[in-house]
Amino acid sequence: YYNKVKCIYIDPPYNTGNKSWKYNNRYVERDDAFKHSKFLSFMDKRIRLSKNLLTDNGIIVCAIDDYECQNVRHLFDDIFGEDNRLGTITVVHNPGGRQDDKYFATAHEYMLVYAKNKDLAKVGYLEISDKKLAEYKFEDKFGRYKLREFRRSGANSRPQDRPNLWYPIYIHPKTLDIQMSKKSGYIELLPIDPKHIKRVWRWNAKTLMEDKDKYIEVKKDGKNFTLYVKERIDDNKGQKPKTFWNESYYSSAVGTAELKNILGNHFKGEKIFDFPKSKFLVRDIIEIISTPNSTVLDFFAGSGTTGQAVLELNQNNKGNRNFILCTNNELNGIGSKLALKNPNEDKQKFGVCRRICYPRIEKIISGYTSSENEKINGLGGNLKYYKTNFVPAEPTERNKIAMTEKATEMLCIKEDTFE
């Protein structure tokens, strides 16, 4: 997949010292003097490899919190270049805040967004929220719209800033007709605000005359006239993403509820996975940095939220995105308890990948019965599941044959010969 992946989303361990990740097969404790160094070494290798996979216009997003945000940001600056940093998004994932924090109740985390080449990368728009849609409360023959004053205000709104946008407009007091030259019975209107400060118009005179019938509305209040622009809903590409996200992104509530809804019948109310991401958060970030035919990679896949987000995006906008998920198979949440209860069983069957990530995606594709006994239809798609392992290094004929057999499906992936 060299130079073929359009979008990488990762949610790595946050290195909080709570035995959430291992370095060289040992858990990194909170009081480890080299915990930051170990984490950066762990991340550095993976980020450098991932850059090779990105397309020239590809984008990588890394979720992180305050424990390592500053360090990881420097790492990305080093590998991708500071100039290719597209933004740092603050995500409210726990609006109530962590009440066991000593000083401030942490309510947010971050997403670091980097492009392989910012001159080629594009970031799209988010869907218009219901709250924003409600603002388009007027309607005419062209459709729904909202009003915005035609006179500018704020920065760059003075004649010295934009001299070509300072000009008189002539309005007929009865018909409200607009002209650019003075005519008998018409009233002159200049962009002067209520404080008698000279401002400018939003458009030049040529654009105004070309688009006035569809986009300009004149309102009369006594002897005063005000011009408005009709901002039409059909012209709205969506909401430009901001650097502060505070929607249905609450991991402890939305992410956990979603996972329980899909897998709950198999876990009998037990805690399934620690801190699963909200599918809405992952879906939104992937939507604005991918295209309908992109390949999406998550090499810290955890519970598989990214896979579900991609499948739902494909359904919503008739996309054909592919996803690649990579995760370990360590014990997590209820998996640890199940392994203790079954000491003679193969512990791998209770790990994150085999017990949570793969079954979740398989159910999203083929359908399932929710924890509320509601039948949910599958979204369709294909799923291949691979385990990594070592093969003997000695170059014997037997080992070469074994290697060939084990490599067959990987070669099929590389050559894209699967249906």
Side-chain angles (χ1 to χ4, degrees), residues 204-251:
N204 61 40
K206 182 175 182 294
T207 302
L208 172 61
M209 293 307 290
E210 288 175 348
D211 294 342
K212 65 176 183 176
D213 292 339
K214 184 176 180 180
Y215 288 101
I216 297 296
E217 183 168 317
V218 183
K219 290 197 173 185
K220 182 179 180 181
D221 182 11
K223 294 183 178 180
N224 298 317
F225 297 87
T226 305
L227 266 66
Y228 293 90
V229 178
K230 295 180 179 180
E231 294 190 358
R232 298 195 172 277
I233 194 170
D234 292 340
D235 295 336
N236 197 327
K237 299 177 183 177
Q239 292 179 237
K240 190 166 189 175
K242 300 177 182 178
T243 55
F244 180 79
W245 288 22
N246 184 22
E247 299 293 337
S248 301
Y249 302 145
Y250 311 143
S251 297

CSV table of all heavy atoms in Angstrom, one decimal, residues 204-251:
chain,number,residue,atom,x,y,z
A,204,ASN,N,-18.8,44.0,-5.2
A,204,ASN,CA,-18.6,45.1,-6.1
A,204,ASN,C,-19.9,45.4,-6.9
A,204,ASN,O,-20.8,44.6,-6.9
A,204,ASN,CB,-17.4,44.9,-7.0
A,204,ASN,CG,-17.5,43.7,-7.9
A,204,ASN,OD1,-18.6,43.5,-8.4
A,204,ASN,ND2,-16.5,43.0,-8.1
A,205,ALA,N,-19.9,46.5,-7.5
A,205,ALA,CA,-21.2,47.0,-8.2
A,205,ALA,C,-21.6,46.0,-9.3
A,205,ALA,O,-22.8,45.7,-9.5
A,205,ALA,CB,-21.0,48.3,-8.8
A,206,LYS,N,-20.6,45.4,-10.0
A,206,LYS,CA,-20.9,44.5,-11.1
A,206,LYS,C,-21.6,43.3,-10.6
A,206,LYS,O,-22.7,42.8,-11.2
A,206,LYS,CB,-19.7,44.2,-11.9
A,206,LYS,CG,-19.9,43.3,-13.1
A,206,LYS,CD,-18.6,43.1,-13.9
A,206,LYS,CE,-18.7,42.2,-15.1
A,206,LYS,NZ,-19.1,40.8,-14.8
A,207,THR,N,-21.1,42.7,-9.6
A,207,THR,CA,-21.7,41.4,-9.0
A,207,THR,C,-23.0,41.7,-8.4
A,207,THR,O,-24.0,40.9,-8.6
A,207,THR,CB,-20.7,40.9,-7.9
A,207,THR,OG1,-19.4,40.6,-8.5
A,207,THR,CG2,-21.3,39.6,-7.3
A,208,LEU,N,-23.2,42.9,-7.8
A,208,LEU,CA,-24.5,43.2,-7.2
A,208,LEU,C,-25.6,43.3,-8.3
A,208,LEU,O,-26.7,42.7,-8.1
A,208,LEU,CB,-24.4,44.6,-6.5
A,208,LEU,CG,-25.7,45.2,-6.0
A,208,LEU,CD1,-26.4,44.3,-5.0
A,208,LEU,CD2,-25.5,46.6,-5.5
A,209,MET,N,-25.3,43.9,-9.4
A,209,MET,CA,-26.3,44.1,-10.5
A,209,MET,C,-26.6,42.7,-11.1
A,209,MET,O,-27.7,42.4,-11.5
A,209,MET,CB,-25.8,45.1,-11.5
A,209,MET,CG,-25.8,46.5,-11.0
A,209,MET,SD,-27.3,47.0,-10.2
A,209,MET,CE,-28.4,47.1,-11.6
A,210,GLU,N,-25.6,41.8,-11.2
A,210,GLU,CA,-25.8,40.5,-11.8
A,210,GLU,C,-26.6,39.6,-11.0
A,210,GLU,O,-27.4,38.8,-11.5
A,210,GLU,CB,-24.4,39.9,-12.1
A,210,GLU,CG,-23.7,40.5,-13.3
A,210,GLU,CD,-22.3,39.9,-13.4
A,210,GLU,OE1,-21.9,39.1,-12.5
A,210,GLU,OE2,-21.6,40.2,-14.4
A,211,ASP,N,-26.5,39.7,-9.7
A,211,ASP,CA,-27.1,38.7,-8.7
A,211,ASP,C,-28.2,39.3,-7.9
A,211,ASP,O,-28.7,38.6,-7.0
A,211,ASP,CB,-26.0,38.1,-7.8
A,211,ASP,CG,-25.0,37.3,-8.6
A,211,ASP,OD1,-25.3,36.9,-9.7
A,211,ASP,OD2,-23.9,37.0,-8.1
A,212,LYS,N,-28.6,40.5,-8.1
A,212,LYS,CA,-29.5,41.2,-7.2
A,212,LYS,C,-30.9,40.5,-7.1
A,212,LYS,O,-31.5,40.4,-6.1
A,212,LYS,CB,-29.7,42.7,-7.5
A,212,LYS,CG,-30.4,42.9,-8.9
A,212,LYS,CD,-30.6,44.4,-9.1
A,212,LYS,CE,-31.3,44.6,-10.4
A,212,LYS,NZ,-31.6,46.0,-10.7
A,213,ASP,N,-31.4,40.0,-8.2
A,213,ASP,CA,-32.7,39.4,-8.3
A,213,ASP,C,-32.8,38.1,-7.4
A,213,ASP,O,-33.8,37.9,-6.8
A,213,ASP,CB,-33.1,39.0,-9.7
A,213,ASP,CG,-33.3,40.3,-10.5
A,213,ASP,OD1,-33.6,41.4,-9.9
A,213,ASP,OD2,-33.3,40.2,-11.8
A,214,LYS,N,-31.7,37.4,-7.3
A,214,LYS,CA,-31.7,36.1,-6.6
A,214,LYS,C,-31.2,36.3,-5.2
A,214,LYS,O,-31.6,35.6,-4.3
A,214,LYS,CB,-30.9,35.1,-7.3
A,214,LYS,CG,-31.0,33.7,-6.7
A,214,LYS,CD,-30.2,32.6,-7.5
A,214,LYS,CE,-30.3,31.3,-6.8
A,214,LYS,NZ,-29.6,30.2,-7.6
A,215,TYR,N,-30.3,37.2,-5.0
A,215,TYR,CA,-29.5,37.3,-3.7
A,215,TYR,C,-29.7,38.5,-2.9
A,215,TYR,O,-29.1,38.6,-1.8
A,215,TYR,CB,-28.1,37.0,-4.0
A,215,TYR,CG,-27.8,35.6,-4.4
A,215,TYR,CD1,-27.6,35.3,-5.8
A,215,TYR,CD2,-27.7,34.6,-3.5
A,215,TYR,CE1,-27.3,33.9,-6.1
A,215,TYR,CE2,-27.4,33.3,-3.8
A,215,TYR,CZ,-27.2,33.0,-5.2
A,215,TYR,OH,-27.0,31.7,-5.6
A,216,ILE,N,-30.4,39.5,-3.4
A,216,ILE,CA,-30.5,40.8,-2.6
A,216,ILE,C,-31.9,41.1,-2.2
A,216,ILE,O,-32.9,40.9,-3.0
A,216,ILE,CB,-29.9,42.0,-3.4
A,216,ILE,CG1,-28.5,41.8,-3.7
A,216,ILE,CG2,-30.1,43.3,-2.6
A,216,ILE,CD1,-27.6,41.8,-2.5
A,217,GLU,N,-32.1,41.5,-0.9
A,217,GLU,CA,-33.4,41.8,-0.4
A,217,GLU,C,-33.3,43.2,0.2
A,217,GLU,O,-32.3,43.5,1.0
A,217,GLU,CB,-33.9,40.8,0.6
A,217,GLU,CG,-35.3,41.1,1.1
A,217,GLU,CD,-35.9,40.0,1.9
A,217,GLU,OE1,-35.7,38.8,1.5
A,217,GLU,OE2,-36.5,40.2,3.0
A,218,VAL,N,-34.2,44.1,-0.1
A,218,VAL,CA,-34.3,45.5,0.5
A,218,VAL,C,-35.4,45.5,1.5
A,218,VAL,O,-36.5,45.1,1.2
A,218,VAL,CB,-34.5,46.5,-0.6
A,218,VAL,CG1,-34.4,47.9,0.0
A,218,VAL,CG2,-33.4,46.4,-1.7
A,219,LYS,N,-35.1,46.1,2.7
A,219,LYS,CA,-36.1,46.2,3.7
A,219,LYS,C,-36.2,47.7,4.1
A,219,LYS,O,-35.2,48.4,4.2
A,219,LYS,CB,-35.8,45.4,5.0
A,219,LYS,CG,-36.0,43.9,4.7
A,219,LYS,CD,-36.0,43.2,6.1
A,219,LYS,CE,-36.3,41.7,5.8
A,219,LYS,NZ,-36.5,40.9,7.0
A,220,LYS,N,-37.5,48.2,4.2
A,220,LYS,CA,-37.7,49.6,4.5
A,220,LYS,C,-38.3,49.7,6.0
A,220,LYS,O,-39.2,49.0,6.4
A,220,LYS,CB,-38.8,50.1,3.5
A,220,LYS,CG,-39.1,51.6,3.7
A,220,LYS,CD,-40.1,52.1,2.7
A,220,LYS,CE,-40.4,53.6,2.9
A,220,LYS,NZ,-41.4,54.0,1.9
A,221,ASP,N,-37.6,50.6,6.7
A,221,ASP,CA,-38.1,50.9,8.1
A,221,ASP,C,-38.3,52.4,8.2
A,221,ASP,O,-37.3,53.1,8.5
A,221,ASP,CB,-37.0,50.4,9.1
A,221,ASP,CG,-37.5,50.6,10.5
A,221,ASP,OD1,-38.7,50.9,10.7
A,221,ASP,OD2,-36.7,50.4,11.4
A,222,GLY,N,-39.5,52.8,8.0
A,222,GLY,CA,-39.8,54.3,8.0
A,222,GLY,C,-39.1,54.9,6.8
A,222,GLY,O,-39.5,54.5,5.6
A,223,LYS,N,-38.2,55.8,7.0
A,223,LYS,CA,-37.5,56.4,5.9
A,223,LYS,C,-36.1,55.7,5.6
A,223,LYS,O,-35.4,56.2,4.7
A,223,LYS,CB,-37.3,57.9,6.2
A,223,LYS,CG,-38.6,58.7,6.2
A,223,LYS,CD,-38.3,60.2,6.5
A,223,LYS,CE,-39.5,61.0,6.5
A,223,LYS,NZ,-39.3,62.5,6.7
A,224,ASN,N,-35.8,54.7,6.4
A,224,ASN,CA,-34.5,54.1,6.2
A,224,ASN,C,-34.7,52.8,5.4
A,224,ASN,O,-35.7,52.1,5.5
A,224,ASN,CB,-33.9,53.8,7.6
A,224,ASN,CG,-33.7,55.0,8.4
A,224,ASN,OD1,-33.2,56.0,7.9
A,224,ASN,ND2,-34.0,55.0,9.7
A,225,PHE,N,-33.6,52.5,4.6
A,225,PHE,CA,-33.5,51.3,3.8
A,225,PHE,C,-32.3,50.5,4.2
A,225,PHE,O,-31.2,51.1,4.4
A,225,PHE,CB,-33.5,51.7,2.3
A,225,PHE,CG,-34.7,52.4,1.8
A,225,PHE,CD1,-34.8,53.8,1.9
A,225,PHE,CD2,-35.8,51.7,1.3
A,225,PHE,CE1,-35.9,54.4,1.5
A,225,PHE,CE2,-36.9,52.3,0.8
A,225,PHE,CZ,-37.0,53.7,1.0
A,226,THR,N,-32.5,49.2,4.2
A,226,THR,CA,-31.3,48.3,4.6
A,226,THR,C,-31.3,47.2,3.5
A,226,THR,O,-32.3,46.6,3.2
A,226,THR,CB,-31.5,47.7,5.9
A,226,THR,OG1,-31.7,48.7,6.9
A,226,THR,CG2,-30.3,46.8,6.3
A,227,LEU,N,-30.1,46.9,3.0
A,227,LEU,CA,-29.8,45.9,2.0
A,227,LEU,C,-29.4,44.6,2.8
A,227,LEU,O,-28.5,44.7,3.7
A,227,LEU,CB,-28.8,46.3,1.0
A,227,LEU,CG,-29.4,46.9,-0.3
A,227,LEU,CD1,-30.1,48.2,0.0
A,227,LEU,CD2,-28.3,47.1,-1.3
A,228,TYR,N,-29.9,43.5,2.3
A,228,TYR,CA,-29.5,42.2,2.9
A,228,TYR,C,-29.1,41.2,1.7
A,228,TYR,O,-29.6,41.3,0.6
A,228,TYR,CB,-30.6,41.5,3.7
A,228,TYR,CG,-30.9,42.3,4.9
A,228,TYR,CD1,-31.9,43.3,4.9
A,228,TYR,CD2,-30.3,42.0,6.1
A,228,TYR,CE1,-32.3,44.0,6.1
A,228,TYR,CE2,-30.6,42.7,7.3
A,228,TYR,CZ,-31.6,43.7,7.2
A,228,TYR,OH,-32.0,44.3,8.4
A,229,VAL,N,-28.1,40.4,2.1
A,229,VAL,CA,-27.8,39.2,1.2
A,229,VAL,C,-28.6,38.0,1.6
A,229,VAL,O,-28.7,37.7,2.8
A,229,VAL,CB,-26.3,38.9,1.2
A,229,VAL,CG1,-25.9,37.7,0.3
A,229,VAL,CG2,-25.4,40.1,0.9
A,230,LYS,N,-29.2,37.4,0.6
A,230,LYS,CA,-29.9,36.1,0.9
A,230,LYS,C,-28.8,35.0,0.8
A,230,LYS,O,-28.4,34.6,-0.3
A,230,LYS,CB,-31.0,35.9,-0.1
A,230,LYS,CG,-32.1,36.9,-0.1
A,230,LYS,CD,-33.2,36.6,-1.1
A,230,LYS,CE,-34.3,37.6,-1.1
A,230,LYS,NZ,-35.3,37.3,-2.1
A,231,GLU,N,-28.4,34.4,1.9
A,231,GLU,CA,-27.5,33.3,1.9
A,231,GLU,C,-28.4,32.0,1.8
A,231,GLU,O,-29.2,31.7,2.7
A,231,GLU,CB,-26.7,33.2,3.2
A,231,GLU,CG,-25.8,34.4,3.3
A,231,GLU,CD,-24.8,34.2,4.5
A,231,GLU,OE1,-24.9,33.2,5.2
A,231,GLU,OE2,-23.9,35.1,4.7
A,232,ARG,N,-28.3,31.3,0.6
A,232,ARG,CA,-29.2,30.3,0.3
A,232,ARG,C,-28.6,28.9,0.7
A,232,ARG,O,-27.4,28.6,0.6
A,232,ARG,CB,-29.4,30.2,-1.2
A,232,ARG,CG,-30.1,31.5,-1.7
A,232,ARG,CD,-30.7,31.4,-3.1
A,232,ARG,NE,-31.5,32.6,-3.4
A,232,ARG,CZ,-32.7,32.8,-3.0
A,232,ARG,NH1,-33.3,31.8,-2.3
A,232,ARG,NH2,-33.4,33.9,-3.3
A,233,ILE,N,-29.5,28.1,1.2
A,233,ILE,CA,-29.1,26.8,1.7
A,233,ILE,C,-28.5,25.9,0.6
A,233,ILE,O,-27.6,25.1,0.9
A,233,ILE,CB,-30.3,26.1,2.4
A,233,ILE,CG1,-29.8,24.9,3.2
A,233,ILE,CG2,-31.4,25.7,1.4
A,233,ILE,CD1,-30.9,24.3,4.1
A,234,ASP,N,-29.0,26.1,-0.6
A,234,ASP,CA,-28.5,25.3,-1.7
A,234,ASP,C,-27.1,25.6,-2.1
A,234,ASP,O,-26.4,24.8,-2.7
A,234,ASP,CB,-29.4,25.4,-2.9
A,234,ASP,CG,-30.8,24.8,-2.7
A,234,ASP,OD1,-30.9,24.0,-1.8
A,234,ASP,OD2,-31.8,25.2,-3.4
A,235,ASP,N,-26.6,26.8,-1.7
A,235,ASP,CA,-25.3,27.2,-2.0
A,235,ASP,C,-24.3,26.8,-0.9
A,235,ASP,O,-23.1,27.0,-1.1
A,235,ASP,CB,-25.2,28.7,-2.2
A,235,ASP,CG,-26.0,29.2,-3.4
A,235,ASP,OD1,-26.2,28.4,-4.3
A,235,ASP,OD2,-26.4,30.4,-3.5
A,236,ASN,N,-24.8,26.3,0.2
A,236,ASN,CA,-24.0,26.0,1.3
A,236,ASN,C,-23.3,24.7,1.2
A,236,ASN,O,-24.0,23.7,1.1
A,236,ASN,CB,-24.8,26.1,2.6
A,236,ASN,CG,-24.0,26.1,3.9
A,236,ASN,OD1,-22.9,25.6,3.9
A,236,ASN,ND2,-24.5,26.8,4.9
A,237,LYS,N,-22.0,24.6,1.1
A,237,LYS,CA,-21.3,23.4,0.9
A,237,LYS,C,-21.3,22.6,2.2
A,237,LYS,O,-21.0,21.4,2.2
A,237,LYS,CB,-19.8,23.7,0.6
A,237,LYS,CG,-19.7,24.4,-0.8
A,237,LYS,CD,-18.2,24.7,-1.0
A,237,LYS,CE,-18.0,25.5,-2.3
A,237,LYS,NZ,-16.6,25.8,-2.5
A,238,GLY,N,-21.7,23.2,3.3
A,238,GLY,CA,-21.6,22.6,4.6
A,238,GLY,C,-20.9,23.5,5.6
A,238,GLY,O,-20.7,24.7,5.3
A,239,GLN,N,-20.7,23.0,6.8
A,239,GLN,CA,-20.0,23.8,7.8
A,239,GLN,C,-18.5,23.6,7.7
A,239,GLN,O,-18.0,22.5,7.7
A,239,GLN,CB,-20.5,23.4,9.2
A,239,GLN,CG,-21.9,23.7,9.5
A,239,GLN,CD,-22.4,23.2,10.8
A,239,GLN,OE1,-23.3,22.5,11.0
A,239,GLN,NE2,-21.6,23.7,11.9
A,240,LYS,N,-17.8,24.7,7.7
A,240,LYS,CA,-16.3,24.6,7.7
A,240,LYS,C,-15.9,24.1,9.0
A,240,LYS,O,-16.3,24.6,10.1
A,240,LYS,CB,-15.7,26.0,7.4
A,240,LYS,CG,-14.2,25.9,7.1
A,240,LYS,CD,-13.7,27.2,6.5
A,240,LYS,CE,-12.2,27.0,6.1
A,240,LYS,NZ,-11.7,28.2,5.4
A,241,PRO,N,-15.0,23.1,9.1
A,241,PRO,CA,-14.6,22.5,10.4
A,241,PRO,C,-13.9,23.5,11.2
A,241,PRO,O,-13.0,24.3,10.7
A,241,PRO,CB,-13.7,21.3,10.0
A,241,PRO,CG,-14.0,21.0,8.6
A,241,PRO,CD,-14.4,22.3,7.9
A,242,LYS,N,-14.2,23.6,12.5
A,242,LYS,CA,-13.5,24.5,13.4
A,242,LYS,C,-12.5,23.7,14.2
A,242,LYS,O,-12.4,22.5,14.1
A,242,LYS,CB,-14.6,25.1,14.3
A,242,LYS,CG,-15.6,26.0,13.6
A,242,LYS,CD,-16.6,26.5,14.6
A,242,LYS,CE,-17.7,27.3,13.9
A,242,LYS,NZ,-18.8,27.8,14.8
A,243,THR,N,-11.7,24.4,15.0
A,243,THR,CA,-10.7,23.7,15.8
A,243,THR,C,-11.3,23.3,17.2
A,243,THR,O,-10.5,22.9,18.1
A,243,THR,CB,-9.5,24.6,16.0
A,243,THR,OG1,-9.9,25.9,16.6
A,243,THR,CG2,-8.8,24.9,14.7
A,244,PHE,N,-12.6,23.5,17.4
A,244,PHE,CA,-13.2,23.1,18.7
A,244,PHE,C,-14.5,22.3,18.3
A,244,PHE,O,-15.4,22.8,17.7
A,244,PHE,CB,-13.6,24.3,19.5
A,244,PHE,CG,-14.3,24.0,20.8
A,244,PHE,CD1,-13.5,23.6,21.9
A,244,PHE,CD2,-15.6,24.1,20.9
A,244,PHE,CE1,-14.1,23.3,23.1
A,244,PHE,CE2,-16.3,23.8,22.1
A,244,PHE,CZ,-15.5,23.4,23.2
A,245,TRP,N,-14.4,21.0,18.7
A,245,TRP,CA,-15.5,20.1,18.4
A,245,TRP,C,-16.2,19.7,19.6
A,245,TRP,O,-15.6,19.1,20.6
A,245,TRP,CB,-15.0,18.8,17.6
A,245,TRP,CG,-14.6,19.1,16.2
A,245,TRP,CD1,-14.2,20.3,15.7
A,245,TRP,CD2,-14.5,18.1,15.2
A,245,TRP,NE1,-13.8,20.1,14.4
A,245,TRP,CE2,-14.0,18.8,14.0
A,245,TRP,CE3,-14.7,16.7,15.1
A,245,TRP,CZ2,-13.8,18.1,12.8
A,245,TRP,CZ3,-14.5,16.1,13.9
A,245,TRP,CH2,-14.0,16.8,12.8
A,246,ASN,N,-17.6,19.9,19.7
A,246,ASN,CA,-18.3,19.6,20.9
A,246,ASN,C,-19.7,19.1,20.5
A,246,ASN,O,-20.7,19.8,20.7
A,246,ASN,CB,-18.4,20.8,21.8
A,246,ASN,CG,-19.1,20.5,23.1
A,246,ASN,OD1,-19.2,19.4,23.5
A,246,ASN,ND2,-19.7,21.6,23.7
A,247,GLU,N,-19.8,18.0,19.9
A,247,GLU,CA,-21.0,17.4,19.4
A,247,GLU,C,-21.3,16.1,20.2
A,247,GLU,O,-21.0,16.0,21.3
A,247,GLU,CB,-21.1,17.2,17.9
A,247,GLU,CG,-20.9,18.5,17.1
A,247,GLU,CD,-22.1,19.5,17.3
A,247,GLU,OE1,-23.2,19.0,17.6
A,247,GLU,OE2,-21.9,20.7,17.1
A,248,SER,N,-21.7,15.0,19.5
A,248,SER,CA,-21.9,13.7,20.1
A,248,SER,C,-20.6,12.9,20.1
A,248,SER,O,-20.5,11.8,19.5
A,248,SER,CB,-23.0,13.0,19.3
A,248,SER,OG,-24.2,13.7,19.3
A,249,TYR,N,-19.6,13.5,20.7
A,249,TYR,CA,-18.3,12.9,20.7
A,249,TYR,C,-17.8,12.3,22.0
A,249,TYR,O,-16.6,12.2,22.3
A,249,TYR,CB,-17.2,13.9,20.2
A,249,TYR,CG,-17.5,14.5,18.8
A,249,TYR,CD1,-17.2,15.8,18.6
A,249,TYR,CD2,-18.1,13.8,17.8
A,249,TYR,CE1,-17.5,16.4,17.3
A,249,TYR,CE2,-18.4,14.3,16.6
A,249,TYR,CZ,-18.1,15.6,16.3
A,249,TYR,OH,-18.4,16.2,15.1
A,250,TYR,N,-18.7,12.0,22.9
A,250,TYR,CA,-18.4,11.6,24.2
A,250,TYR,C,-18.1,10.1,24.3
A,250,TYR,O,-18.9,9.3,24.3
A,250,TYR,CB,-19.5,12.0,25.2
A,250,TYR,CG,-20.1,13.4,25.0
A,250,TYR,CD1,-21.4,13.7,25.1
A,250,TYR,CD2,-19.2,14.4,24.7
A,250,TYR,CE1,-21.9,15.0,24.9
A,250,TYR,CE2,-19.6,15.7,24.5
A,250,TYR,CZ,-21.0,16.0,24.6
A,250,TYR,OH,-21.4,17.3,24.4
A,251,SER,N,-16.8,9.8,24.4
A,251,SER,CA,-16.3,8.5,24.4
A,251,SER,C,-16.9,7.6,25.4
A,251,SER,O,-17.4,6.5,25.2
A,251,SER,CB,-14.8,8.4,24.5
A,251,SER,OG,-14.2,9.1,23.4
